Amino acid sequence: MKYVLIILLIAVIGGTATGFYIKPDNEATGNLIIGISVVVIFFVLIPLFIYFRWNKRSFKDYMLTKENIDKMREEGRRKKL
């Protein structure tokens, strides 16, 4: 998954650069390539990255429950000592 994200990021950067390179010659094609690159970033790359980074984490660790608040208070007291 990590390599898929890296390859996709390089492809998007390459597509954006190609779009800016082509833009002076053929404005419609350059804008289309840049637009496709932006769409791929927001609808493919970012969701895959978020899934890759959060797939093995527990959502309960980030909730403000009574137990987690008590843990934070205990850690704060230990750091003061």
Side-chain angles (χ1 to χ4, degrees):
M1 182 67 132
K2 179 179 178 181
Y3 297 114
V4 171
L5 288 172
I6 292 171
I7 291 169
L8 193 57
L9 179 65
I10 292 170
V12 166
I13 291 171
T16 305
T18 303
F20 279 113
Y21 181 74
I22 292 175
K23 194 171 181 178
D25 297 336
N26 190 355
E27 191 171 330
T29 305
N31 286 338
L32 179 67
I33 294 171
I34 294 169
I36 289 171
S37 296
V38 170
V39 167
V40 169
I41 287 172
F42 286 108
F43 291 113
V44 178
L45 186 63
I46 290 176
L48 282 176
F49 176 76
I50 292 171
Y51 174 75
F52 175 70
R53 295 295 292 176
W54 282 81
N55 63 351
K56 294 182 181 177
R57 296 197 178 149
S58 174
F59 189 67
K60 290 182 180 181
D61 293 340
Y62 301 97
M63 297 283 294
L64 281 178
T65 60
K66 178 136 178 67
E67 295 83 24
N68 287 342
I69 292 172
D70 292 339
K71 281 184 199 176
M72 287 188 284
R73 286 184 182 155
E74 285 297 320
E75 289 176 11
R77 288 182 189 142
R78 278 188 257 157
K79 288 182 182 178
K80 288 182 181 177
L81 297 175

